[in-house]
Amino acid sequence: KQYFKLWPVLVDSERQNHLLDYDNILRMHFGQISEATLQIKKDIRRTFPDDPYFNPSINSGGIHQLERVLVAYSWKNPKVGYCQSMNKVAAVLLLFMNEEETFWVLDKLVEDYLPGYYDESMLPLHIDLAVFRSVLEESFPKIYQKWICFQNDLTLVVMPWFLCLFVDVLPPESLFHVWDLFFFEGRSVIIRASLAIFKILEREILNAQHPGEIVNILQYSQNQLNPHSLFRAMYQSSFDRKLSRTSLNKLRNSHQPSVEALLNQIDAVSSQRNSTKLHLPQICYRKGPQMNLDESSFTETWSERYRSLSYQVNHWTPPNVPDVV
C-alpha cells in the first residue's frame, strides 16, 4: 500500500497552496444541494456495489467517503461539477488513500492531467478521440474498416476508457501499471494503451460477426491484457513512433478545427430543437457515457486483488520512453 503514496507525489497534490482545505469546503457547503450532488447520490450506489468497501446495503464507510470527495470537488470546481466516470476513478484512489489525498489527486487529475475532458463541451476529449481514430485507421486498417462495415461508432466504445482511465477494461494488475505511466507521462498513455488493446485483440475483433460481439471481446478479454502483453504492445508496436510529443501535438492541432466545427454544429442543432435527447453518436451526454455493460464484472476482486498487488508493483520498472507527453 505504501507504493501508492507515490501517486500524490507524482501529481504534486500535497504541495498545492489552496485558500480552502478539504474540510472547509465540506463545511461551507454542508446540506447544500445542486444538480451535481443529486447525480452523485445516484451514482455512488452503482459504483462497485459488490465490493464490501462500497456496498450501499451494508452502509459501508467507503461509499460515504466517495460521496464526500465527489461533492467537495463539485463545489470546488463548479465549471466541471460532476461527470459520470469521476466516481470510478475516485473509488479506485480511495482504496489506497485517505479522503483528502483522494480529493487533491482527483483535483489534479481533472484540472491538470485531463483538462477539459470533463467540461461541458469535452473538447479536448473529443480531439484525443479523433487522434486515436486516425492512428487506429493508419495502424490497424482492417479493424477500422470492420467498424465502418458495421456502421457503428467506435467512439461510443472507447470514450469510457478515456474518461474512466480503463477502470472497467483492464484487470487490476495491468490497470495500476497504466496509471503509473499516466501519472508520469500524461494523457498520451490513454491513447497508447487503447491502441495496444486493439492490437492484442486484433484477431478476435476481425473474426467478430456483429458490433455487439466486438464490445464483448473488448470488455471481457481481461486474461489477454496482462501487464507483459499490454506493455509490449504499447511500446513495441508500429504506432509507437506516431505517439511522440511532436507527432501528437501535430495530430491534435490538425483535428481541432474539424472537432470544434462538429461540436458547434451539434450545439446549434440542439438549440434549434430545444432537446437534450438528440441522438448524436459522436457525442456522449454531459453526465457521462452510458453503456449496457455489467458494472459488477470487476467488483469481485477490487479490494483484495488491488491491495495484494503492491508487492508486484514495487518490482516493476516502467519502460524507458524518453519522448513523452
Side-chain angles (χ1 to χ4, degrees):
K1 184 176 180 178
Q2 293 299 318
Y3 176 85
F4 301 98
K5 295 293 184 180
L6 289 177
W7 288 352
V9 175
L10 285 173
V11 301
D12 203 27
S13 63
E14 294 179 345
R15 300 181 184 177
Q16 296 288 340
N17 184 21
H18 294 280
L19 296 177
L20 292 176
D21 61 25
Y22 174 66
D23 291 332
N24 282 336
I25 295 173
L26 288 173
R27 281 194 293 267
M28 286 179 58
H29 298 282
F30 180 77
Q32 296 182 21
I33 298 175
S34 66
E35 181 182 355
T37 62
L38 293 175
Q39 187 62 43
I40 290 168
K41 181 76 73 173
K42 296 177 183 177
D43 284 354
I44 58 172
R45 303 183 66 83
R46 299 191 291 256
T47 306
F48 313 135
D50 294 334
D51 189 311
Y53 193 61
F54 297 107
N55 192 324
S57 63
I58 61 176
N59 198 29
S60 63
I63 196 169
H64 299 298
Q65 292 178 340
L66 178 61
E67 181 177 10
R68 287 193 293 267
V69 167
L70 295 172
V71 166
Y73 185 77
S74 74
W75 292 118
K76 177 188 178 295
N77 186 354
K79 178 182 177 182
V80 171
Y82 169 74
C83 179
Q84 284 179 341
S85 70
M86 290 169 60
N87 57 320
K88 294 185 178 182
V89 173
V92 174
L93 294 172
L94 274 171
L95 290 175
F96 308 105
M97 305 175 189
N98 61 40
E99 280 186 51
E100 187 166 4
E101 287 176 326
T102 297
F103 173 80
W104 290 119
V105 171
L106 181 68
D107 172 72
K108 196 75 172 177
L109 188 152
V110 172
E111 297 181 20
D112 294 341
Y113 276 73
L114 299 174
Y117 262 47
Y118 304 99
D119 287 356
E120 187 72 25
S121 69
M122 296 179 166
L123 175 61
L125 168 65
H126 289 293
I127 292 174
D128 279 356
L129 287 169
V131 170
F132 165 78
R133 283 194 300 267
S134 65
V135 178
L136 180 74
E137 182 179 10
E138 183 178 350
S139 302
F140 306 104
K142 292 182 180 179
I143 293 179
Y144 189 83
Q145 288 302 317
K146 186 87 172 182
W147 279 98
I148 298 299
C149 292
F150 284 151
Q151 297 183 338
N152 202 287
D153 185 10
L154 186 62
T155 299
L156 293 179
V157 175
V158 178
M159 184 181 287
W161 301 3
F162 282 54
L163 287 171
C164 293
L165 297 178
F166 304 101
V167 168
D168 283 335
V169 180
L170 296 176
E173 55 268 28
S174 297
L175 179 71
F176 284 158
H177 294 331
V178 169
W179 279 32
D180 295 337
L181 289 168
F182 168 75
F183 283 125
F184 182 70
E185 298 183 16
R187 72 181 196 263
S188 64
V189 170
I190 303 176
I191 300 175
R192 185 184 296 276
S194 299
L195 292 166
I197 292 172
F198 277 88
K199 177 178 175 59
I200 294 170
L201 302 176
E202 182 176 14
R203 180 180 301 177
E204 289 86 346
I205 292 172
L206 294 178
N207 290 332
Q209 300 301 312
H210 55 82
E213 187 176 351
I214 296 181
V215 172
N216 287 333
I217 291 170
L218 294 172
Q219 182 71 11
Y220 301 112
S221 299
Q222 304 165 32
N223 60 322
Q224 298 186 54
L225 303 177
N226 59 77
H228 177 74
S229 299
L230 185 64
F231 292 116
R232 182 173 59 183
M234 287 175 66
Y235 292 99
Q236 298 180 13
S237 300
S238 59
F239 58 75
D240 181 58
R241 59 183 175 81
K242 303 180 181 70
L243 300 180
S244 67
R245 181 191 303 272
T246 301
S247 298
L248 277 176
N249 286 338
K250 286 182 178 179
L251 285 170
R252 285 171 177 143
N253 291 335
S254 66
H255 284 289
Q256 182 168 347
S258 60
V259 172
E260 287 182 331
L262 175 62
L263 292 174
N264 290 335
Q265 182 181 8
I266 289 171
D267 287 342
V269 174
S270 297
S271 299
Q272 291 175 2
R273 297 190 178 184
N274 193 27
S275 171
T276 60
K277 296 182 179 180
L278 182 64
H279 177 64
L280 299 163
Q282 293 85 358
I283 306 298
C284 74
Y285 291 118
R286 170 65 186 90
K287 292 180 180 177
Q290 300 291 331
M291 300 194 68
N292 295 322
L293 300 175
D294 183 8
E295 285 195 342
S296 65
S297 60
F298 278 73
T299 56
E300 178 183 359
T301 58
W302 272 98
S303 294
E304 293 83 357
R305 288 185 68 189
Y306 277 19
R307 292 190 172 97
S308 67
L309 284 167
S310 59
Y311 78 96
Q312 298 181 24
V313 179
N314 282 318
H315 295 284
W316 177 78
T317 303
N320 183 20
V321 185
D323 192 9
V324 297
V325 177

